[in-house]
Amino acid sequence: MCTSFCLLLFFLCRLIRCIRCPLAYHTSDSCVAAGSVILTHHIMICSNHGSAKKNGLLTSPVNVGWCFLCARGGKLLCCDSCPASFHPECLEMEMPEGSWSCSDCRAGKKPHYKQIVWVKLGNYRWWPAEICNPRLVPSNIQSLRHDIGDFPVFFFGSHDYYWINQGRVFPYVENDKNFVTGQININKTFKKALEEAARRFQELKAQRESREALKQDRNSRKPPPYKFIKSNKPVGKVQVHVADLSEIQRCNCKPADEHPCSLESQCLNRMLQYECHPQVCPAGDSCENQCFSKRLYAETEVIKTEGCGWGLRTNQALKKGDFVAEYVGEVIDSEECQQRIKRAHENHVTNFYMLTLTKDRVIDAGPKGNSSRFINHSCSPNCETQKWTVNGDVRIGIFALCDIEAGTELTFNYNLHCVGNRRTSCHCGSDNCSGFLGVQPSVRMFEKARNAKMKQKKRKLRPEGKHTHEYFCFCCGKGGELVMCDRKDCPKAYHLLCLNLTKPPYGRWECPWHDCSVCSNPASSLCDFCPRSFCRDHEAGALTTSSLDDRLCCSSHNPLSPLGQCKRRHVSSSWHFEELTE
């Protein structure tokens, strides 16, 4: 909260500090503690230094006669700095000896300007009022005698002003009007005060929500914060390789060539994805194969996309094969990579910026990187990643796959492996979208789906050849974010909720289809329509032959029963997804 202690780096923000203690606040009325004396735009005397203090505590707090937690009276523990009172049992503590302050006072929470409060003045009842900035009250009120820590309040109903301190006010909260109106002996002035206070409270609340919405809107126009770096930064034991000049490849280009080492040339280094070194290349300063070292990036802009978060757009036309940018980030080893992935899963982080650099090195552009980290995935990308050797070290560059017009969003295929048994839905919108990141897109997939619908051919349940996972949950038949079985040749996937799990399983995991539903021993007979299965001791009579391709099914999926009819319609909808996997 802004009213808490701001002890660090006050000079980096618009802060005003106390000249007698380390306390500092933002300069707005909603942050500065009421009762502070402003000396200049940058220094003040905070409200903790008033002469109405003894041993650091206010000498005249007026405590309420009810508990702030249960609103009942009785033996109360009273705060020595503000009107708060509590039953010790409500705070789950014993009655302390000596002075005691409530948790808000111990945390340094103070009243602030434009706050609605209840005020106790003289023999009057607790009355609703608004704390005013001394600069905005009438001059005759400003001239009244007051001390550091005192602040003016405007009483609703009577419209009077008076100076008061923290020991005689406590915050007004929503619906306080309804709590007080149930009491007796409410005169017209007090009733009017309650109505004005409730109306002003809602007005200030609306202003605060409007400011917060505006701030959130401004923040939504900017991408999440990260540290911008120009080159890869090794982390931990990872080292960046630097080659000796004698080890660097020398191409066959000549300085007299029209465009030496360019895309149109026959440069051997370019063909082998080696960047020429300026001290080794025969073309010298005319060499056009030094895009990484010279950072010859395309003109791009970070944009907000529809449905895919932040993205990167090119502001210049690109030709096929043009260098777009280098993918830059922290270079970590495989052990650190697994630790970061594990922490991300524990904190429910779903955005990853990791690209494999070499066998034991990974680039993580999450905490640190450049604008290339915003390039989104697409199953029909217009860019690709290439691994180049630059001065003896492997680096990743992004290159145009085709001619790209200015103003086009840049994309490349992430080619992700499902990390931590999780699969993420793809929203690229391409005609050949595979539906999930890391699943190879194929145009034939959709041709087969259309042909199958027209000819109504029966297809095999499991695809032959390469092992792939299904795109739907084996329990409910719906898609989404799925966890997949790690057992060899098992294509089943599940929603976490369908498995009664809150977190994805870590490490190797086998689905419940392979365990007996009765005793959890290894199953020998499996239902082809749900995860129910049975071991040799419980398989007798548990499964019957379905009329659908003579497949085994449990009693819940008997196609002759009404329940089985319903299950049959559910499974037939799942077949459509099975056909897409072939």
Side-chain angles (χ1 to χ4, degrees), residues 51-70:
S51 60
K53 291 237 176 188
K54 184 177 181 180
N55 297 326
L57 298 173
L58 287 170
T59 58
S60 58
V62 180
N63 297 95
V64 299
W66 64 89
C67 176
F68 265 28
L69 296 179
C70 67

Side-chain angles (χ1 to χ4, degrees), residues 119-127 155 162-164 168:
V119 180
K120 179 65 173 176
L121 183 62
N123 294 324
Y124 292 97
R125 65 186 306 163
W126 288 96
W127 202 278
F155 290 98
Y162 202 77
W163 288 85
I164 212 75
R168 292 175 174 265

Side-chain angles (χ1 to χ4, degrees), residues 271-344:
M271 294 179 183
L272 297 173
Q273 295 184 353
Y274 278 81
E275 184 173 278
C276 295
H277 195 283
Q279 299 180 20
V280 178
C281 181
D285 294 337
S286 302
C287 175
E288 298 184 13
N289 184 26
Q290 298 176 19
C291 297
F292 284 86
S293 301
K294 296 181 179 179
R295 298 192 184 99
L296 303 178
Y297 299 166
E299 296 181 6
T300 57
E301 178 185 3
V302 178
I303 60 171
K304 189 67 175 292
T305 65
E306 294 183 5
C308 295
W310 295 94
L312 193 67
R313 176 176 63 193
T314 175
N315 291 334
Q316 69 178 65
L318 299 172
K319 294 183 179 180
K320 181 178 179 179
D322 280 353
F323 178 68
V324 178
E326 180 184 0
Y327 195 85
V328 169
E330 292 183 325
V331 183
I332 59 178
D333 57 20
S334 56
E335 182 179 354
E336 174 66 18
C337 177
Q338 291 298 325
Q339 290 295 328
R340 293 189 179 189
I341 292 173
K342 182 179 179 181
R343 288 195 298 267

